[in-house]
């Protein structure tokens, strides 16, 4: 893969991070740079680590990982999404979904980066044999995901107040998380590709 291919791959992987980060920003409703950067670092770190993990596991566990990775991502995102939707119907200020909490950020980072495991498997198939060969692709993937996560958070905060006045942000966020979960599930089971004509 050349540098342009890696950049395009990085942008594709960062799309889920971007969407989920917008949700985090909408719910946060204010600029807290420590949290925005923390979300960006975690999303970038996990997006870079997952391909590395997939590359390491290729010879031993690739079949098992590919068989369940989409179900794990769907389960995590659907769980958080349903919880957010449920809490959106509670009393104002009663939402327990807090994107500023480290535990929530880690769960979202894992859920949005599980797709990247398959990228690590493909790296192995493309001839990446040494860890030194992986350094540049992993750094690019991590930096792009970091940038998209920060941008998503900023956009979410910027427009979150307007959204919150008209609709419950938790309801919107929950629907978005469930949608992303279904997208991951359908794309990995092949249904999405089979049902979309080329």
């Amino acid at each position: 893969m050349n540098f342009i291919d890696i950049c395009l791959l990085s942008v594709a992987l960062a799309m889920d991070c971007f969407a989920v980060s917008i949700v985090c920003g909408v719910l946060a409703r204010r600029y807290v740079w420590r949290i925005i950067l923390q979300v960006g670092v975690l999303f970038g770190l996990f997006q870079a680590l997952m391909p590395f993990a997939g590359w390491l596991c290729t010879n031993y566990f690739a079949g098992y990982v590919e068989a369940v990775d989409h179900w794990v991502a769907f389960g995590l995102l659907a769980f958080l999404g349903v919880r957010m939707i449920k809490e959106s119907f509670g009393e104002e200020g009663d939402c327990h979904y807090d994107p500023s909490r480290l535990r929530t950020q880690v769960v979202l980072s894992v859920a949005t980066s599980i797709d990247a495991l398959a990228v690590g498997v493909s790296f192995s198939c493309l001839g990446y044999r040494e860890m030194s060969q992986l350094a540049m692709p992993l750094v690019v993937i991590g930096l792009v995901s970091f940038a998209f996560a920060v941008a998503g958070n900023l956009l979410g905060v910027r427009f979150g107040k307007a959204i919150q006045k008209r609709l419950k942000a938790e309801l919107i966020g929950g629907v978005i998380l469930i949608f992303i979960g279904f997208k991951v599930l359908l794309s990995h089971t092949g249904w999405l590709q089979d049902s979309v004509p080329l």
Side-chain angles (χ1 to χ4, degrees):
M1 294 181 95
N2 60 38
F3 183 72
I4 294 175
D5 292 336
I6 291 167
C7 288
L8 292 174
L9 172 66
S10 301
V11 169
L13 288 175
M15 285 297 108
D16 287 347
C17 295
F18 181 66
V20 173
S21 295
I22 291 175
V23 173
C24 292
V26 167
L27 293 175
R29 301 177 208 146
R30 58 197 175 99
Y31 297 103
V32 181
W33 280 103
R34 180 186 62 80
I35 295 171
I36 292 171
L37 293 175
Q38 185 172 295
V39 169
V41 167
L42 284 172
F43 277 41
L45 180 65
F46 276 90
Q47 286 286 358
L49 287 178
M50 286 295 187
F52 180 66
W55 178 79
L56 281 178
C57 294
T58 299
N59 296 327
Y60 303 101
F61 308 111
Y64 299 107
V65 169
E66 290 176 353
V68 299
D69 62 354
H70 49 285
W71 287 106
V72 173
F74 170 74
L76 290 171
L77 290 169
F79 171 76
L80 289 174
V82 169
R83 184 172 154 188
M84 286 175 66
I85 291 171
K86 180 181 175 185
E87 290 172 354
S88 74
F89 292 103
E91 294 296 322
E92 187 70 26
D94 193 33
C95 181
H96 302 293
Y97 179 87
D98 185 0
S100 68
R101 293 175 62 190
L102 182 61
R103 184 173 69 177
T104 302
Q105 294 170 9
V106 169
V107 170
L108 290 173
S109 299
V110 171
T112 56
S113 65
I114 285 179
D115 271 358
L117 276 171
V119 172
V121 174
S122 69
F123 280 158
S124 181
C125 297
L126 289 170
Y128 288 79
R129 296 288 177 253
E130 304 294 329
M131 288 178 61
S132 58
Q133 293 176 288
L134 285 175
M136 189 268 287
L138 296 183
V139 167
V140 172
I141 289 170
L143 290 176
V144 170
S145 295
F146 168 82
F148 272 66
V150 170
N153 252 292
L154 295 175
L155 282 173
V157 173
R158 171 68 180 84
F159 297 105
K161 292 177 183 176
I163 292 171
Q164 189 70 20
K165 287 178 182 175
R166 293 176 179 83
L167 299 165
K168 291 192 174 184
E170 291 83 7
L171 177 61
I172 297 170
V175 170
I176 290 172
L177 291 183
I178 292 172
F179 174 78
I180 293 171
F182 270 113
K183 184 196 72 127
V184 169
L185 185 63
L186 294 176
S187 66
H188 277 261
T189 56
W191 188 88
L192 196 60
Q193 292 94 328
D194 294 340
S195 60
V196 178
L198 297 175

